[in-house]
Amino acid sequence: MVAAVDTGARSPDGIPAQVLWYVPLAWAGFQLWLASPLPYLLRIGIFNSTEARSVHLTFAIFLAFLAFPAFKRSPRDHIPVQDWIIALVAAFCAGYQFLFFTQLIERPGLPTPTDIVVSVIGLALILEGTRRVLGPPLMIVATLFMGYTFFGHLAPDVIQWQGASLNKAMSHYYLTTEGVFGIALGVSTSMVFLFVLFGSLLEKAGAGNYFIRVAFALMGHMRAGPAKAAVVSSAITGMVSGSAIANVVTTGTFTIPLMRKVGFSAEKAGAVEVASSTNGQLTPPIMGAAAFLMIEYVGISYIEVITHAALPAFVAYVALIYIVHLEALKADIKGLPRRSPPNFIRNLMIFLLTFIGLAVLTAIVYFGLGWMKVAYGEATLWIASVLLMIAYIALLYYGCKFPDIDTSLEISELPDAAPTIKSGLYYLLPVVVLVWCLTVERLSPSLSAFYATVCMLVVILTQRPLKAVMRNSGEDVAACIRKGFSEMLEGMVSGARNMIGIGVATAAAGIIVGTISLTGIGFVMSELVELVSGGHVLAMLMLTAVLSLILGMGLPTTANYIVVSVLLAPVIVTVGAENGLIVPLIAVHMFVFYFGILADDTPPVALAAFAAAAISKGDPIKTGLQGFAYDIRTAILPFMFIYNTELLLIGVETWYHLLTTIVTAIMAMMLFAAATQGFFIAKCRLWEILALLVIAFTLFRPGFWMDQIYPPFESRPAAAIFDIVEKMPVNSRVRIRVTGEDIEGRLIDKTIMLPLGAAGSGEGRLSAAGIALVEVDGKMIIDNVVFGSVAQKQKLDFDFEIVSVEVQAQQAAKQWFYVPALLVLGLIIMLQRRRRGATDSPRRISREYET
């Protein structure tokens, strides 16, 4: 399944096999060179972004035609001659931008007949490559969008446009950075490849198996322990995996048979694995390819992306573990037997020492390297590298005192926690390097991934020979070095072949994005969606969610995110503003991202569910439906953080506010999970399910009830805007209502928020936000909008009128509504505990009688 979907179904012999090995290896080498600082230090091999994207696509499309057969009946054991020809032609067309870059930039907008022919053939082969690698859905969607470019004049009036000539369309799609070689392919080239390669090397080194064994050692003894371990291990491996299917097969090989062993049905065992694996792309610090696209589309840093994604991902996984626990309670499923009896004091001491040790280590690394940066400047990197190598050798030596991790595909008994954890602590160092570079050094994602990958390469090359020496095992050190070198090369090849689908998908998605920018269909679709939804934000969110799920059944997450976010994200922000709801752009993009991922386990085209069912021997459709039922708790999160952006840690400024947000979010999600499962402490009655849903909603969004009692904002006259802005705190935001007409004569009436920087006069702070106002007949009119400013991005224009300033009203704290919610929750707990006790007593008496 993984070979057919992720790396290609062909496995030929002889020269073709060598081509399918050395070309991906060369691709991985090129990407490492591209991400490294070496080209700029040595001043050779420097590629601009367009050239790099061209070479990236050349590798991807060439391998797509060689590794993926044209049809199901096409040969797998050899590559037909026609596929060699098509692959070479496709590679030439993809590399055309690189080969003739200078000539193309000298004649912008004036393509030659050769340019047009290459563009037409290149686009056709990209569509065919997409069909081979990803199936027909994305190819069909891209073809429909391209057809609209040429035949838009034949479309219905509501979406009609005049159409484009062949020269104009091909130039836009293929010879500029607006289409195929646009942002999506650029992100695949500069960021995604390195992270996928890093994950592949981590897996090849044995870290994936290590994470799985650790999860089982820590959680396998709990009620339904194997299922809980499946959730945790899938979350960990999902952070560095670019494929939900690969994640299912990697961890599911261990977890699904054990879940079956302790009492889960085939479908539920597969569904747990599917739900936890698909959600791995939500988990920082790496997430999926779409996270890197957010950087470009939203215009924020990677640190901000993972900050906003952290709490929802954590809450989603906690809720999934809780769902597994509820399933175990309903079916009375136990865990794996311990090797030694539990000792509370010993476990508590181990936990405290581990926590204190990690805290001390973190403080030493953070403040130690922080001091070194001040003292040694540019030499810090080399000093840190030496310290990292010392830490690696020390942890490897420490790990050699314990047996190696079992690599068998079956976990027959619960591993001992302490030896299992200690044996592979050095696997964490590359991840530490990645997180450090991203969050502390604030390096670019590509450079951070490069340093982490280099660290991973060192681990793969040296772990075997160093272990042989440290253990004095008598193993041939040269053979260990050769084995490590072979594993390194195999990891690079595997990582590159995993990128074929993403590379081709981002190129095909560029066709869709190019159509939107060329034809303006995005504005038309926006109006259509707004019309269908009646201008209601919730209805529009529902339409967006359904569209994401439908498209996601056939499109990979990355392509789905590109299409839906480009079409609908600006609409949701605009319509929300017109209804008085300020929706941050990152919240909308996260909304689309979540539902794109949920489509991976949405039948009937749930490939992850088919992969899990192949292991569990269950029904794939039932597995997908059950997995989607488990993922309802993830589906509710995007709606919640649209209306309560605190879940994305937006507006959370104090530690106690953060703590309250985390605790209430976890409680709310667990109660929502209990309601959807119909089981809390005991089986829920209908009124209890409804009450749990209301309590969960109250904990998620307490401000809703307060707003029904007291309006959240008061309208102040526009004439007072300068005084109001002048008195507002530093780095706050002013909320204003504006009206006017756009360039097409449509009436605009919306509410926006402008960020205010440092203290100063009202005029000065508004000017810094990008607008200048003038009073005309008692009205405050926008007299100037600074190009590229926040105001201009909010689509403010000349002659718009500031109608009013919306000031936060004096309300009681919204958290007061937690009190009645918790009181009702206490009542439900009391009633269910009483019912649970009454149910358990006959069971206990029966067991005693049988004894």
Side-chain angles (χ1 to χ4, degrees):
M1 176 69 76
V2 176
V5 175
D6 282 347
T7 61
R10 279 196 177 127
S11 54
D13 298 324
I15 294 178
Q18 294 181 3
V19 171
L20 285 177
W21 195 86
Y22 284 107
V23 172
L25 181 63
W27 190 10
F30 167 76
Q31 295 288 161
L32 284 171
W33 175 265
L34 191 67
S36 76
L38 293 178
Y40 300 96
L41 293 175
L42 303 177
R43 297 192 178 279
I44 58 172
I46 299 175
F47 298 84
N48 62 45
S49 61
T50 304
E51 292 173 322
R53 295 172 189 182
S54 179
V55 176
H56 179 83
L57 182 58
T58 299
F59 278 110
I61 199 71
F62 180 74
L63 291 170
F65 284 105
L66 296 187
F68 291 83
F71 304 101
K72 290 183 179 179
R73 62 180 180 274
S74 299
R76 265 64 172 168
D77 57 349
H78 70 277
I79 302 174
V81 174
Q82 64 269 22
D83 280 357
W84 284 104
I85 296 172
I86 295 173
L88 292 172
V89 172
F92 172 78
C93 293
Y96 192 75
Q97 285 266 19
F98 169 72
L99 296 172
F100 303 99
F101 177 76
T102 304
Q103 295 90 322
L104 289 172
I105 62 174
E106 289 176 352
R107 53 172 189 268
L110 298 172
T112 65
T114 303
D115 296 338
I116 300 302
V117 171
V118 169
S119 300
V120 170
I121 296 174
L123 286 172
L125 292 179
I126 286 173
L127 293 173
E128 168 58 14
T130 302
R131 184 196 65 81
R132 290 195 183 200
V133 178
L134 303 167
L138 179 55
M139 182 269 290
I140 292 173
V141 172
T143 302
L144 289 175
F145 272 82
M146 194 185 302
Y148 176 75
T149 299
F150 297 107
F151 306 107
H153 61 285
L154 302 177
D157 290 343
V158 68
I159 60 171
Q160 193 175 89
W161 90 298
Q162 72 272 21
S165 66
L166 183 65
N167 281 14
K168 182 178 180 180
M170 292 302 104
S171 178
H172 188 83
Y173 280 130
Y174 211 80
L175 303 178
T176 69
T177 55
E178 294 292 327
V180 169
F181 299 97
I183 291 176
L185 187 63
V187 170
S188 176
T189 304
S190 62
M191 301 183 199
V192 179
F193 191 103
L194 265 294
F195 281 90
V196 172
L197 179 62
F198 174 71
S200 176
L201 291 171
L202 200 64
E203 180 66 34
K204 189 62 67 173
N209 187 44
Y210 169 72
F211 293 145
I212 293 170
R213 301 285 170 167
V214 168
F216 270 94
L218 294 176
M219 307 186 72
H221 64 280
M222 299 179 180
R223 183 181 286 273
K228 294 175 181 176
V231 176
V232 174
S233 60
S234 293
I236 297 172
T237 56
M239 289 190 297
V240 294
S241 172
S243 167
I245 298 172
N247 198 3
V248 166
V249 179
T250 301
T251 58
T253 304
F254 299 90
T255 60
I256 291 176
L258 276 176
M259 283 190 273
R260 294 294 313 278
K261 186 177 180 180
V262 298
F264 278 86
S265 67
E267 286 75 21
K268 287 188 176 181
V272 169
E273 182 60 44
V274 169
S276 53
S277 294
T278 53
N279 284 192
Q281 295 181 68
L282 304 174
T283 312
I286 297 174
M287 304 172 67
F292 303 106
L293 287 163
M294 284 186 201
I295 300 172
E296 301 295 331
Y297 286 141
V298 184
I300 60 178
S301 68
Y302 190 69
I303 303 302
E304 292 175 284
V305 171
I306 62 176
T307 300
H308 296 317
L311 181 57
F314 178 71
V315 169
Y317 268 109
V318 169
L320 183 56
I321 291 175
Y322 185 59
I323 287 173
V324 168
H325 183 72
L326 293 177
E327 290 281 14
L329 285 176
K330 287 190 287 185
D332 196 27
I333 297 174
K334 306 298 183 183
L336 294 174
R338 294 174 181 265
R339 283 193 173 185
S340 56
N343 187 312
F344 175 76
I345 300 299
R346 182 186 64 194
N347 291 342
L348 180 63
M349 290 301 297
I350 291 174
F351 173 79
L352 290 176
L353 290 175
T354 303
F355 180 80
I356 294 171
L358 288 173
V360 171
L361 179 62
T362 302
I364 291 173
V365 172
Y366 184 87
F367 294 106
L369 288 182
W371 169 79
M372 286 169 54
K373 287 181 68 175
V374 176
Y376 300 110
E378 295 182 358
T380 303
L381 176 63
W382 302 105
I383 297 173
S385 300
V386 173
L387 293 177
L388 181 68
M389 184 58 66
I390 293 173
Y392 168 60
I393 294 174
L395 288 175
L396 191 64
Y397 178 76
Y398 183 60
C400 286
K401 297 181 180 180
F402 307 95
D404 283 333
I405 296 292
D406 183 13
T407 58
S408 64
L409 295 180
E410 182 180 356
I411 301 177
S412 56
E413 58 183 4
L414 195 67
D416 286 331
T420 302
I421 295 172
K422 294 173 183 176
S423 65
L425 286 173
Y426 63 91
Y427 285 130
L428 300 177
L429 289 178
V431 181
V432 170
V433 170
L434 176 63
V435 175
W436 173 265
C437 291
L438 283 171
T439 60
V440 179
E441 293 291 336
R442 300 296 179 99
L443 300 178
S444 67
S446 59
L447 192 56
S448 300
F450 169 76
Y451 286 127
T453 302
V454 170
C455 183
M456 197 67 249
L457 292 174
V458 172
V459 170
I460 293 180
L461 286 171
T462 61
Q463 62 174 341
R464 288 182 182 276
L466 286 177
K467 281 183 178 181
V469 173
M470 291 174 179
R471 286 174 172 166
N472 195 22
S473 60
E475 291 184 78
D476 185 356
V477 175
C480 291
I481 293 175
R482 288 193 297 271
K483 179 67 174 176
F485 187 72
S486 174
E487 288 178 342
M488 180 194 73
L489 296 181
E490 289 292 342
M492 294 176 68
V493 171
S494 176
R497 292 192 65 167
N498 282 332
M499 273 298 301
I500 298 173
I502 296 177
V504 174
T506 50
I511 297 174
I512 299 169
V513 175
T515 301
I516 294 170
S517 61
L518 176 62
T519 65
I521 184 64
F523 296 106
V524 177
M525 290 292 293
S526 302
E527 294 177 356
L528 185 61
V529 170
E530 185 176 351
L531 177 65
V532 172
S533 65
H536 296 291
V537 179
L538 183 59
M540 188 172 297
L541 291 174
M542 293 292 292
L543 285 172
T544 303
V546 172
L547 179 62
S548 296
L549 289 175
I550 292 173
L551 287 176
M553 292 181 193
L555 306 188
T557 302
T558 305
N560 186 13
Y561 165 76
I562 293 170
V563 174
V564 182
S565 63
V566 170
L567 282 175
L568 296 181
V571 193
I572 295 173
V573 173
T574 302
V575 174
E578 292 171 355
N579 286 269
L581 177 66
I582 305 300
V583 184
L585 189 57
I586 180 62
V588 182
H589 280 259
M590 289 289 292
F591 183 94
V592 175
F593 180 40
Y594 263 62
F595 278 100
I597 288 173
L598 286 175
D600 283 344
D601 60 3
T602 306
V605 193
L607 292 179
F610 277 85
I615 300 173
S616 67
K617 309 302 180 186
D619 182 272
I621 299 298
K622 290 181 180 179
T623 301
L625 290 172
Q626 185 67 58
F628 187 74
Y630 289 155
D631 263 341
I632 289 177
R633 97 260 178 241
T634 305
I636 199 66
L637 269 173
F639 289 96
M640 290 297 103
F641 60 59
I642 287 289
Y643 288 96
N644 180 11
T645 54
E646 289 180 358
L647 293 173
L648 298 177
L649 303 184
I650 296 174
V652 177
E653 298 175 352
T654 60
W655 68 268
Y656 51 86
H657 190 183
L658 174 63
L659 181 63
T660 303
T661 302
I662 294 173
V663 171
T664 55
I666 292 173
M667 287 181 61
M669 185 52 70
M670 292 175 71
L671 294 175
F672 179 81
T676 56
Q677 290 295 303
F679 194 95
F680 188 29
I681 297 171
K683 185 177 180 180
C684 294
R685 292 169 178 166
L686 179 60
W687 75 267
E688 290 174 334
I689 292 175
L690 296 176
L692 288 174
L693 291 174
V694 173
I695 295 169
F697 177 77
T698 303
L699 294 177
F700 268 131
R701 197 186 171 206
F704 173 82
W705 305 112
M706 186 61 70
D707 292 346
Q708 307 308 307
I709 301 173
Y710 301 107
F713 297 99
E714 297 176 356
S715 294
R716 300 287 176 83
I721 187 171
F722 292 141
D723 292 335
I724 294 172
V725 169
E726 185 173 348
K727 295 175 182 178
M728 294 185 73
V730 175
N731 295 325
S732 58
R733 296 191 295 174
V734 61
R735 183 184 179 104
I736 60 177
R737 180 173 163 232
V738 299
T739 61
E741 289 187 1
D742 62 12
I743 58 175
E744 297 181 1
R746 293 174 299 187
L747 180 64
I748 303 297
D749 186 344
K750 63 182 179 180
T751 303
I752 66 165
M753 295 188 76
L754 292 178
L756 304 174
S761 66
E763 295 92 331
R765 300 183 79 180
L766 289 173
S767 178
I771 60 172
L773 303 180
V774 61
E775 187 172 355
V776 179
D777 298 330
K779 298 179 179 180
M780 301 303 295
I781 306 297
I782 297 178
D783 189 48
N784 185 39
V785 178
V786 178
F787 180 78
S789 65
V790 177
Q792 192 262 336
K793 292 178 181 178
Q794 295 270 25
K795 296 185 178 179
L796 295 183
D797 207 344
F798 301 102
D799 293 333
F800 275 24
E801 179 188 353
I802 307 296
V803 178
S804 62
V805 183
E806 307 292 322
V807 180
Q808 191 80 36
Q810 293 295 323
Q811 287 183 327
K814 60 185 180 182
Q815 286 77 12
W816 280 110
F817 281 94
Y818 291 157
V819 176
L822 294 177
L823 288 175
V824 176
L825 176 61
L827 174 64
I828 293 174
I829 291 173
M830 182 182 68
L831 294 174
Q832 291 210 357
R833 285 177 65 88
R834 188 177 300 169
R835 289 208 307 274
R836 179 83 176 180
T839 304
D840 286 346
S841 296
R843 291 179 182 173
R844 184 171 60 254
I845 293 171
S846 176
R847 286 196 297 267
E848 291 173 355
Y849 176 78
E850 290 173 358
T851 303

